Amino acid sequence: MPVDHYENFPVASILLPKRLRPAVEAIYAFARSADDLADEGEATPEERLAALNAYEAALARIEQGATDHAPMFERLAQVMREYDMPARPLYDLLSAFKQDVVVSRYQTFDALLDYCARSANPVGFMMLHLYGEASEENVRDSDAICSALQLINFLQDVAIDLHKERIYIPLEDLNRFAVSPAALDNPSARPRWRALMRFEVDRARQLMLSGAPLALRLPGRIGFELRMVVQGGLRILDAIEAVEYDIFLHRPKLAKRDWIGIVWSSIRMKSRLKAALRTA
């Protein structure tokens, strides 16, 4: 399946067991289409919220045992029944998408993490649930990885989000480094901007590393796929540093050559992670 902008989902990759692909695709179709309702097209905020409320109503009908669903929701209902999947992560995603409609700034890092807990962490939980690995310890580390991925995506897309009149860097951090929200892309602010971004990159990296042991605990394909996810996120942070944090002129993204390094880093992750944690 194509992945255009809902970037926190490992959609039917070659590492995903064939038996789980229909379930992952059904959940992804729900998440991506809901994300589109919040972000895409020319709808008014009221129309976007109404459409997302309709998704919530459809979820409620699934929970109530109704059977006459639209095709996308019927596939989702089948997954929820087959895997005894709770509805809460799906409601959390809708809550985050609705927040995107009405909130464009975050005063504190805690407020931003609360958003990540609903926009990204549910994906990790649902994947663990499908694999039967949703223990308390695993979910805790998964939350750290997913939130880190969301933060990395924000750092990667500051310029894109600014064009949408959104800022996902906490205002308290902008104030701390004397960077005006109205002048994020002003060249005169570059020295202060680099200091701010160095702080944000370091914090995202530490959060990612705190959850990374999950990728070493999980067995088989899910473990290796998660290692790839972790290494991909860390490589984006390296790329941001490589352009001296000027994501306005150079949006860091993974090229084909990066994936070779990601695979190699994933294979060597155990020894590299121990070294990284010692220096973090």
Side-chain angles (χ1 to χ4, degrees), residues 21 28 47 78 82 108 115 137 146 171 182 190 192 212 227 229 231 258:
R21 291 182 188 178
Y28 172 77
E47 290 168 335
Q78 291 174 1
E82 181 178 354
T108 66
Y115 171 79
E137 182 183 28
C146 291
L171 298 183
R190 287 295 188 268
R192 298 189 301 276
R227 293 185 199 184
V229 168
Q231 293 301 324
D258 290 307

Side-chain angles (χ1 to χ4, degrees), residues 253-262:
K253 57 183 180 180
L254 298 178
K256 289 183 178 179
R257 64 179 180 275
D258 290 307
W259 288 104
I260 298 174
I262 289 170

Side-chain angles (χ1 to χ4, degrees), residues 127-186:
M127 292 299 296
L128 288 174
H129 188 88
L130 291 176
Y131 275 98
E133 295 285 355
S135 69
E136 182 177 350
E137 182 183 28
N138 287 351
V139 171
R140 180 202 65 206
D141 286 353
S142 172
D143 286 348
I145 291 172
C146 291
S147 287
L149 287 173
Q150 182 74 88
L151 295 175
I152 292 167
N153 183 238
F154 290 153
L155 298 178
Q156 183 183 25
D157 284 347
V158 169
I160 293 173
D161 291 330
L162 189 61
H163 182 71
K164 298 177 182 179
E165 300 184 349
R166 292 177 180 171
I167 298 176
Y168 289 103
I169 295 177
L171 298 183
E172 65 181 4
D173 295 348
L174 292 174
N175 182 62
R176 173 183 174 184
F177 287 91
V179 177
S180 168
L184 286 184
D185 57 349
N186 188 331

Side-chain angles (χ1 to χ4, degrees), residues 234-247:
L234 293 174
R235 187 157 291 238
I236 288 289
L237 293 177
D238 291 344
I240 293 173
E241 291 175 331
V243 299
E244 297 184 343
Y245 309 102
D246 194 348
I247 43 74

Side-chain angles (χ1 to χ4, degrees), residues 202 205-210 272-280:
D202 287 346
R205 181 180 284 116
Q206 289 171 16
L207 184 59
M208 177 68 83
L209 291 173
S210 74
R272 292 171 65 93
L273 180 59
K274 286 182 179 179
L277 289 173
R278 284 197 297 269
T279 59

Side-chain angles (χ1 to χ4, degrees), residues 91-108:
Y91 282 115
D92 285 345
L93 287 175
L94 293 177
S95 170
F97 298 149
K98 290 167 74 172
Q99 187 165 311
D100 274 333
V101 177
V102 297
V103 177
S104 60
R105 305 285 190 276
Y106 290 86
Q107 183 63 43
T108 66

